[in-house]
Amino acid sequence: DLAQANGLTYAQEGVGHRVAGALDGRTFSMTARPSPQNGVQEERWTVELSTKPPAGFGATKRRMLGGVSQGSTHVETGDRPFDGAVLAEAKDVEGARAYLTDARRAAIRELVAAGGIVYDGKVMIHKPGLDTSPAKLAARLATLRSVAAALA
């Protein structure tokens, strides 16, 4: 089972499930429960980053959101594949450009391709539906683990 194999705890929470604990020394949680908006099952995966990105830093799939958050500025890196796939934003644009090394840009591209985002010092994947395939769950966990390590 995913929780036990990774030293995490599992708990049934009402009609949902929660896996939580420390993943490579970072706070991790995964909840699977019906959405409060429509009652459809959803998964929410979160890993807190051990090193905080620059102020207001966020990254998501381009066109996933309409624009940047209030108080933040769009960050262009000059890396065309990254800038074409990812909407990066920060309050400290120059700090964000310095933060976005080749390795971090590659990790963020992997994350957004998997439907994830970086926001508020966390790496997250929100997936409507509920996967029961151990291979798919392990792959999602591996993505979060590798991205969190690359963004450290």
Side-chain angles (χ1 to χ4, degrees):
D1 129 283
L2 184 73
Q4 189 173 38
N6 289 281
L8 304 167
T9 59
Y10 166 83
Q12 177 99 25
E13 292 185 343
V15 294
H17 309 274
R18 180 176 174 81
V19 175
L23 188 64
D24 303 328
R26 298 172 186 92
T27 302
F28 166 82
S29 71
M30 189 283 285
T31 57
R33 63 177 181 231
S35 166
Q37 286 84 15
N38 59 20
V40 174
Q41 285 285 343
E42 64 181 10
E43 297 174 6
R44 291 188 180 268
W45 301 69
T46 304
V47 177
E48 289 190 25
L49 296 173
S50 53
T51 304
K52 295 291 183 196
F57 181 79
T60 187
K61 186 174 185 177
R62 186 169 285 285
R63 295 185 195 87
M64 192 175 208
L65 301 174
V68 298
S69 302
Q70 185 174 2
S72 291
T73 302
H74 180 228
V75 178
E76 290 280 338
T77 65
D79 174 343
R80 292 179 69 103
F82 178 85
D83 292 339
V86 176
L87 174 63
E89 62 179 49
K91 292 179 181 175
D92 175 4
V93 174
E94 290 309 313
R97 283 190 185 117
Y99 175 76
L100 288 168
T101 62
D102 291 346
R104 286 180 174 142
R105 289 193 313 271
I108 291 170
R109 283 186 63 203
E110 175 187 2
L111 178 67
V112 300
I117 65 171
V118 179
Y119 177 75
D120 193 29
K122 299 176 181 89
V123 175
M124 299 180 272
I125 296 176
H126 172 225
K127 186 191 146 317
L130 185 61
D131 263 325
T132 55
S133 160
K136 287 182 181 180
L137 296 172
R140 211 161 0 275
L141 184 64
T143 297
L144 284 173
R145 177 177 258 158
S146 70
V147 170
L151 298 183

